Amino acid sequence: MYWKNLTYFGDSMLLLPTALLLAIFLFWKSQRWQTAFGWLLSFGIAGGLVSISKVMFLGFFLGSQSLNFTGFSGHTTLSSVLWPVVMWMISAGRQPWLRRTLITFGYLLPLAVGYSRLQLHAHSPSEVISGATLGALLSTGYLLIQRHTRLDKVSLLQLVCFAALPAVIIFTGQPATTQQFLATLSARLAGIEKPYTRAQLLQAGHAN
């Protein structure tokens, strides 16, 4: 149960609405549409690359048997993009040591999410590591571009309002059906009856 609770911090059911809410707050606190658009672009690139990697394997059997790679870990990738930027936003205007601490936590939480995916046997190490790297590169790139952007301080009441939606979603604990959707989509795009599986990839490697 512990690993399932932790892994939910990388679930699309939580991250997608939180990402949209974050874009609204970034526009509000920066008064710059570019800040919000850049965030949505970064998150969208992450989601797109994860989806493409999964479709390539599920539908077209493009993966790596030696690395046990079937696509980027979506939980790890998207959480690595989201949480550092969330912490950057809510820590605006606060003491430097607190801001550094919160942003560091924003990078560490996705690593914990990635580790939970390994514990739940949902992904291989290569999928988690590559996902964490991809997500961290995108979030860090975004933060570097925005390093001169001034954000107004998020008040306690505003922080409570921001956290309300994620808290409700976490409380319900309903996981997204993204993987099932991608599996069905991949099979249709490839014109096959069923999507490929990790077991088939490993068996093909042993056969070779």
Side-chain angles (χ1 to χ4, degrees):
M1 183 60 67
Y2 171 78
W3 295 119
K4 288 184 178 180
N5 291 337
L6 180 56
T7 207
Y8 198 72
F9 283 89
D11 196 281
S12 297
M13 184 66 75
L14 170 65
L15 300 192
L16 289 177
T18 303
L20 292 175
L21 181 61
L22 177 59
I24 295 173
F25 264 73
L26 287 171
F27 175 71
W28 176 24
K29 291 301 177 178
S30 70
Q31 296 299 309
R32 296 177 69 250
W33 67 266
Q34 295 94 334
T35 304
F37 177 77
W39 158 244
L40 291 175
L41 182 62
S42 299
F43 192 81
I45 289 173
L49 291 176
V50 168
S51 299
I52 290 172
S53 70
K54 290 180 178 291
V55 168
M56 287 297 97
F57 172 74
L58 293 169
F60 302 93
F61 208 45
L62 296 177
S64 172
Q65 187 276 331
S66 60
L67 296 176
N68 193 8
F69 182 83
T70 64
F72 297 111
S73 166
H75 283 67
T76 310
T77 305
L78 295 182
S79 62
S80 295
V81 179
L82 179 80
W83 294 117
V85 181
V86 167
M87 295 303 166
W88 173 71
M89 189 273 294
I90 66 175
S91 65
R94 290 174 168 80
Q95 296 181 1
W97 70 267
L98 179 58
R99 192 161 210 211
R100 286 193 295 267
T101 300
L102 289 174
I103 294 175
T104 299
F105 176 74
Y107 279 101
L108 293 178
L109 178 58
L111 296 181
V113 170
Y115 186 70
S116 73
R117 303 305 287 166
L118 296 177
Q119 293 299 310
L120 293 170
H121 306 291
H123 285 288
S124 67
S126 67
E127 293 162 355
V128 168
I129 293 172
S130 60
T133 302
L134 173 61
L137 286 173
L138 287 168
S139 58
T140 301
Y142 172 79
L143 293 178
L144 286 174
I145 292 172
Q146 301 296 329
R147 64 187 180 278
H148 298 305
T149 299
R150 181 185 177 278
L151 299 178
D152 293 334
K153 186 176 181 179
V154 179
S155 69
L156 180 59
L157 178 59
Q158 293 166 356
L159 178 58
V160 170
C161 292
F162 177 82
L165 177 61
V168 169
I169 297 174
I170 291 173
F171 180 76
T172 58
Q174 183 66 35
T177 57
T178 311
Q179 184 68 21
Q180 294 91 321
F181 169 77
L182 288 175
T184 302
L185 174 64
S186 301
R188 290 179 178 178
L189 289 175
I192 56 178
E193 184 176 350
K194 294 181 180 180
Y196 291 102
T197 66
R198 186 186 303 277
Q200 289 175 300
L201 178 67
L202 298 178
Q203 289 173 359
H206 289 311
N208 294 332

